[in-house]
């Protein structure tokens, strides 16, 4: 059965209802679309008059070339040649792709080397700039600049916005300051020798019975957490430094927030009251220290922004005279400040401490400064000479807090591995308290 148009066996055979003739479907569809009549009889014809015919799979007869052995060999030779040409094209494409990949990897490696070199040059330039700023003198215009302030630190003194260069004079600890510190030390030493344990001191069993009376959310909930705290005992006011970059003054008696000190751009790592004045100090991970002056209405004005450190400020400790304070930073330096002017009198660098300071505290007599480092070492300094006079090793984790005893004979240090007590007269550790779980007893050693 052959198509009435092409004369070949149709792949999709259809039959005309009117004439009964057999056609190839695609040919008759095209003819009807062009002429609208039967190609053989000439009668009008539409696709509705066409009926498909269901047949089995039509096997076309083999071509003449496949009917003989020479024809088959020629056909195989043609197929082999086409296969070889295809393989050659694929090999060329693979070689080109390998070259492009090798070039891309070389460019990536060169870019990484350039980026590393630029980062190194940037760090060196920053280090040189910081060193130059430390040595630069205070501009005369900055020394006579007017001071303006708004509540809660919205506006600060004009010298505070001039960057690190505005506070880089290092006049040092003068003889008059040393005499003041020595006089304070002598007076406090005499008082310490006469000091008696107050009868109102709570015993251990009373402390064990303490329970929580109230809880007060003071900071923002989107960045919860309090990183530092200090208490003004004379006024029963609590200062807290939060991860939300603000410090809060809370009246414990009335249970209300007196003021929120906003201005830091990162978490507040340390807050300290300066008694008996209404001055609050705050240090932050934004590398700055702020001096706040309180007022009778409860608001606080930011008097100075100190930008002498080049890394996070981790601790602030106030001298017993309440005229000076020290800040410790992760940049491996601690600064001695005059409170009234906010001027850094000296900045002590420690080349042997590459990881920076995490805590600091003045001795009760005021002539000794203790600092804790991230290298698990406690360093004791002579404030008058700014020299390192002793080191306490024994912790295995970063020092998180240090505190001198009230009588000045002992030092307590806390780290990630526990708490240690040191005898300052013998310069050695005499007791350790290791960290423990709630379900396990306390471990202690000599």
């Amino acid at each position: 059965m052959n198509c009435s148009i092409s004369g070949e066996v149709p792949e999709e055979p259809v039959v005309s209802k009117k004439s009964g003739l057999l056609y190839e479907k695609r040919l008759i569809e095209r003819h009807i679309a062009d002429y609208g009549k039967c190609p053989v009889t000439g009668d009008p014809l539409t696709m509705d008059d066409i009926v498909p015919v269901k047949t089995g799979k039509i096997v076309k007869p083999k071509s003449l070339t496949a009917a003989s052995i020479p024809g088959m060999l020629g056909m195989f030779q043609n197929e082999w040649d086409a296969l070889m040409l295809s393989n050659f094209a694929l090999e060329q494409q693979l070689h080109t792709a390998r070259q492009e990949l090798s070039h891309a990897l070389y460019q990536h490696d060169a870019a990484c080397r350039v980026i590393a070199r630029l980062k190194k040059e940037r760090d060196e330039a920053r280090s040189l700039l910081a060193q130059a700023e430390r040595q630069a003198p205070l501009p005369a215009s900055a020394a006579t600049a007017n001071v303006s302030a708004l509540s809660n630190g919205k506006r600060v003194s004009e010298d505070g916005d001039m960057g690190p260069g505005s506070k880089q004079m290092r006049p040092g600890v003068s003889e008059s300051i040393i005499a003041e510190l020595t006089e304070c030390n002598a007076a406090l030493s005499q008082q310490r020798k006469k000091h008696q344990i107050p009868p109102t001191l709570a015993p251990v069993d009373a402390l064990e019975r303490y329970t929580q009376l109230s809880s007060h959310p003071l900071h923002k909930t989107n960045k919860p957490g309090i990183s530092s705290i200090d208490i003004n005992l004379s006024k029963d006011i609590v200062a807290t430094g939060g991860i939300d970059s603000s410090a809060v003054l809370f009246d414990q008696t009335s249970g209300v927030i007196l003021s929120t000190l906003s201005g830091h751009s990162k978490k507040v790592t340390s807050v300290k009251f300066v008694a008996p004045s209404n001055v609050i100090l705050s240090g932050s991970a934004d590398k700055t220290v702020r001096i706040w002056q309180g007022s009778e209405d409860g608001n606080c004005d930011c008097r100075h922004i100190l930008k002498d450190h080049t890394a996070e400020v981790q601790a602030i400790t106030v001298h017993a005279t309440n005229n000076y304070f020290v800040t410790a930073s992760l940049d491996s330096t601690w600064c001695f400040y005059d409170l009234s002017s906010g001027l850094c009198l000296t900045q002590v660098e420690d080349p042997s401490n590459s990881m920076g300071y995490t805590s600091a505290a003045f001795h009760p007599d005021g002539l000794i400064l203790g600092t804790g480092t991230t290298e698990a070492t406690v360093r004791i300094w002579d404030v008058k000479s700014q020299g390192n006079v002793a080191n306490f090793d024994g912790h295995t984790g970063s020092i998180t807090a240090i505190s001198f005893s009230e009588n000045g004979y002992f030092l307590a240090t806390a780290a990630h591995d526990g708490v240690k007590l040191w005898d300052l007269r013998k310069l050695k550790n005499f007791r350790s308290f290791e960290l423990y779980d709630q379900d396990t007893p306390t471990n202690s050693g000599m």
Side-chain angles (χ1 to χ4, degrees), residues 138-208:
L138 181 67
S141 59
T144 59
N146 294 325
V147 176
S148 60
L150 281 182
S151 175
N152 292 332
K154 297 302 182 181
R155 188 184 300 165
V156 299
S157 60
E158 294 179 3
D159 61 349
D161 292 331
M162 296 182 63
S166 63
K167 293 288 184 181
Q168 292 304 318
M169 287 190 65
R170 301 291 184 268
V173 181
S174 63
E175 294 295 333
S176 60
I177 296 177
I178 293 177
E180 181 183 359
L181 300 181
T182 304
E183 182 180 355
C184 177
N185 172 73
L188 293 177
S189 297
Q190 293 297 328
Q191 295 177 6
R192 174 166 52 84
K193 294 178 181 179
K194 300 177 182 180
H195 181 74
Q196 300 293 332
I197 299 177
T200 57
L201 186 66
V204 176
D205 55 348
L207 292 176
E208 294 176 348

